[in-house]
Amino acid sequence: MTGKRLLRTATLVTGALALTSSLTACGGGSSAADSEGGEKVVTVYSADGLKSEKGDGWYDKVFADFTKKTGIEVKYVEGGSGEMVQRAVREKTNTQADVLITLPPFIQQADGKGLLQSYKPQGSDKVNGADKAADGKWTSVVKNYFGFVYNKKELTEAPKTWEELLDAKYKGKLQYSTPGVAGDGTAVLIKSMHDFGGKEAAMEYLKRLQANNVGPSSSTSKLAPKTDKGELLVANGDVQMNFAQSKSMPNLGIWFPAKDGGKPTSFALPYAAGLVDKAPHTENGKKLLDFLLSEEAQQLVSGVGGGFPARTDVKPTDANAVELTKLMTGVEIFEPDWADIDKNLTGYVDAWKSATGS
């Protein structure tokens, strides 16, 4: 992982309101002072997927609601999970972010690098233990699952197994984002190691699959449009992002590979949020985390964001929620050993590079 930027794509985008001041000017006087003499601002570094280019994503809605309720302006920086962690590491002597939101195993990596401080948001007691850190360093705010996409126009039905993807018809029509660079690319390693029963068997399979693979991609989100257009037949992704994308990409279908003779599997890949250590606006960060886990915000996760609520007591019944439940029916959910993955990720990525010649 050294020498590479761990990202899908890193872009600076506006939050709920038009932003006129830069991150480096967070200490400026453009925001009104709160009762404690601090700024009415909170800065979020997040993995991509929850904010829409059209302005109708979950972040767009909840950030606007948060600002209306509290008067606190949300400044937002988006990129891949690894890129957000790396950026926060570079800024440790001059912390800019208040809240960090990434996918596993990068939220664990952030904790290991001392980037997070303990805070248990209101409502976090309703989040499953596997979806939060026991010490309060991070808590999932949107539940999500790893998956694949396929072109519904070119393929009459989704592939069912990993082995099917070795067929010659997928040559030059299959692509997955780069492990160790993209969060969902790293998930390809995690799922294949689980499905094939270990690292060696998974690497042997991925070595064979490389004959059909288009090549590296630092961005998972860019693969869905290529699949929708038919440039690709199959690519990796995640359920929340791809479900949201499918609303404007009619040829995009979601599926979950199984090992030949086995059941389709997936695992939780949640958007996990932590309060940044030595955050410039710690109290505002706490308020935002509380709001993201509020019943009000969690009820919007499926209908607006195309994801799954992190709180187990929030059970939306909107059309998206019904469709998402149907999509996950029959899929076996396993729980990765995140401590092992965090510790050995570099070795797993190196094994993948060796096996695929990447």
Side-chain angles (χ1 to χ4, degrees), residues 189 192-193 198-208 348-349 351-353 355-356:
L189 287 187
S192 61
M193 286 191 294
K199 183 179 75 171
E200 297 306 322
M203 298 308 156
E204 177 58 32
Y205 168 79
L206 293 172
K207 179 180 180 179
R208 296 172 64 196
Y348 294 148
V349 172
W352 170 82
K353 289 178 181 177
T356 61

Side-chain angles (χ1 to χ4, degrees), residues 3-19:
K4 292 190 176 181
R5 299 180 66 200
L6 303 175
L7 58 103
R8 287 180 186 168
T9 49
T11 53
L12 177 63
V13 296
T14 56
L17 302 174
L19 307 180

Side-chain angles (χ1 to χ4, degrees), residues 242-257:
N242 294 144
F243 186 84
Q245 290 172 316
S246 70
K247 298 304 180 182
S248 60
M249 299 179 190
N251 298 321
L252 202 66
I254 299 172
W255 69 291
F256 306 90

Side-chain angles (χ1 to χ4, degrees), residues 332-346:
E332 185 178 275
I333 305 300
F334 66 91
E335 186 176 324
D337 184 344
W338 291 114
D340 170 77
I341 293 165
D342 182 38
K343 179 181 178 181
N344 297 302
L345 181 58
T346 299

Side-chain angles (χ1 to χ4, degrees), residues 145 150 152 239-240 242-256 302-303 305-309 316-331:
Y145 296 92
Y150 74 104
K152 296 191 293 184
V239 173
Q240 178 277 324
N242 294 144
F243 186 84
Q245 290 172 316
S246 70
K247 298 304 180 182
S248 60
M249 299 179 190
N251 298 321
L252 202 66
I254 299 172
W255 69 291
F256 306 90
S302 57
F308 305 81
T317 57
D318 58 86
N320 281 356
V322 172
E323 193 173 346
L324 286 163
T325 298
K326 183 179 179 181
L327 177 67
M328 300 305 298
T329 301
V331 180

Side-chain angles (χ1 to χ4, degrees), residues 128-195:
N128 273 332
D131 297 326
K132 62 186 177 183
D135 61 1
K137 291 292 185 66
W138 57 268
T139 306
S140 297
V141 292
V142 171
K143 190 109 174 184
N144 191 19
Y145 296 92
F146 178 60
F148 276 64
V149 291
Y150 74 104
N151 183 292
K152 296 191 293 184
K153 183 178 180 181
E154 299 294 331
L155 299 175
T156 55
E157 62 179 9
K160 292 182 173 59
T161 68
W162 287 104
E163 286 82 359
E164 285 182 53
L165 301 182
L166 299 174
D167 190 280
K169 74 178 181 180
Y170 293 105
K171 186 175 180 61
K173 290 286 188 176
L174 175 150
Q175 191 172 19
Y176 60 91
S177 51
T178 308
V181 176
D184 288 325
T186 304
V188 172
L189 287 187
I190 295 169
K191 177 171 158 59
S192 61
M193 286 191 294
H194 171 272
D195 289 358

